[in-house]
Amino acid sequence: MNHTTSPTVVPSPTQAPSPSGELAGRRVVLGLSGGIACYKAAELCRALVKAGATVQVVMTDAAMQFITPVTLQALSGQPVFSSQWDPREAAGVGNNMAHINLTREADAILVAPASADFMKKLVHGGADDLLSLMCLARPQTVPLLVAPAMNREMWANPATQRNVAQLRADGVQVLDVGQGDQACGEVGDGRMLEADELLYDLVRFFQPKILAGQQVLVSAGPTYEAIDPVRGITNLSSGKMGFAIARAAHEAGADVTLVAGPVALPTPRGVRRVDVKSAQEMQLALDTLALSATVFVSAAAVADWRPAAPANQKIKKDGSGAVPTLAFTENPDILAGIAGSERARHGLLYCVGFAAESHDLLTHAQAKRVRKGVPLLVGNLGPATFGQDDNALLLVDEHGVVELPRASKLSLARQLVVEIARRRGG
Ligand code: C5P
């Protein structure tokens, strides 16, 4: 194998690395083996750089049949390596040992796409090209993730599945495959995940698994209380905080179910979602799911009242100027009910409540914690959080108060997960 990428002057990457990105400071070796999914690796490379990672690309000869090193070099801003005989300096070392140097400072190797043949090579310790040689020679402290990409029959073949099982047994993180149309015209399992999914999986991989083994139930968003078939009462909750908590809990290794009121947010990857509308529907879903949950985070803004007798038909103006009168009935307090359940009282279910206030946050949050009977209450200022991408939280428990200063909702959700895990002994 003597394919050597000639040195070229490279423009700076299209997207300058963001120091505050999800992968800021991470050094990722992105390996490409042969497959049509190589076209997605270009977008993945760009996404990794945009997320703040330093990306070093290594390609096999087969990968270069599908996409050129020039593309990956431009996107990563680093020279691409493809041959073990490449005499260029690798990772600042000029000893002609790219297979060693490229991984010594790496935080992870991600092979995407990983072809069936490349996975076979990994299983058997093959080392006849730079990428496999480098994977074999990596320190055991450098994690290896592979994103399989192949035709559905190849993926389903027992030989491939044996190799996947062996790779997992060897400690390699074999990521999922996608499902759907394939380049060959067939439909089924085996597509490589999309760039944003792979980015998410890598970000998740780096998060400590402090909620592993936990069944986390999260409620999020507003509820919608019907007045008649076309009108209803809702509130300004965007659901963003609850969705971020569901994502953070999943990143932390939990099995997560999200019960969402009417919001248009995408479901966090790996999270099970149940959509509901009214408080009563939300209660039904949560009461059932709480029977098998170990943590319940009640971030939904549940309507306090609902119209007592919603009309079956649209309430019509009769032209007289008369306005309808609405009578209300109180909604059940879902959180208080679950927090008072036997499982919660016996410590099998840890409940976390939220309080959206407009003033005197600490006083209201402390009072609400006692009133709802929850061990942890998270206070935030409603007008400052509804619809925003960032927030500030006040955590109140029996020992006192922890303040989480203003940050993105995802960052706060991750901090909240740490606080929950600490209290659950995680
Ligand atoms: O009483 P308040 O609405 O301020 O309490 C907020 C907390 O209680 C949130 O955690 C919210 O999800 C939950 N809640 C509930 N059922 C209600 C009202 C609020 O579970 N009917």
Side-chain angles (χ1 to χ4, degrees), residues 3 6 78 99 158 164 169 173 201 248 258 266-267 290 310 324 341 362 371 389:
H3 195 117
S6 54
Q78 311 274 352
H99 66 291
V164 167
Q173 298 284 320
D201 284 358
L258 173 63
T267 310
S341 69
L362 180 57
R371 187 152 42 83
D389 287 327

Side-chain angles (χ1 to χ4, degrees), residues 109-244:
I109 303 173
L110 169 58
V111 180
S115 66
D117 189 61
F118 188 75
M119 291 198 296
K120 175 212 75 182
K121 248 188 203 180
L122 287 178
V123 166
H124 293 285
D128 65 350
D129 68 312
L130 177 61
L131 186 57
S132 57
L133 177 59
M134 188 193 75
C135 289
L136 189 66
R138 82 188 189 282
Q140 285 306 299
T141 49
V142 176
L144 174 58
L145 298 90
V146 298
M150 66 200 73
N151 163 269
R152 66 189 174 116
E153 299 293 1
M154 292 169 74
W155 175 247
N157 193 293
T160 305
Q161 291 305 313
R162 270 198 309 275
N163 287 340
V164 167
Q166 187 58 55
L167 286 176
R168 289 196 167 127
D170 291 346
V172 175
Q173 298 284 320
V174 182
L175 303 176
D176 289 341
V177 291
Q179 203 270 339
D181 292 341
Q182 303 205 305
C184 51
E186 297 180 4
V187 181
D189 289 343
R191 288 164 58 103
M192 188 170 83
L193 295 178
E194 301 304 319
D196 59 341
E197 296 172 317
L198 291 172
L199 174 65
Y200 175 86
D201 284 358
L202 189 61
V203 169
R204 176 176 190 254
F205 175 78
F206 286 125
Q207 295 296 322
K209 298 294 170 277
I210 50 180
L211 287 182
Q214 301 286 339
Q215 306 286 323
V216 175
L217 177 61
V218 182
S219 71
T223 61
Y224 175 90
E225 311 297 333
I227 295 172
D228 66 18
V230 295
R231 305 187 185 91
I233 294 172
T234 185
N235 61 63
L236 289 176
S237 168
S238 64
K240 287 180 182 173
M241 193 67 230
F243 275 60

Side-chain angles (χ1 to χ4, degrees), residues 219 298-304 331-336 352-357 368 371-372:
S219 71
S298 184
V302 185
D304 290 317
N331 269 328
D333 192 317
I334 307 170
L335 174 60
V352 182
F354 265 71
E357 306 293 343
K368 202 161 281 184
R371 187 152 42 83
K372 302 266 177 183

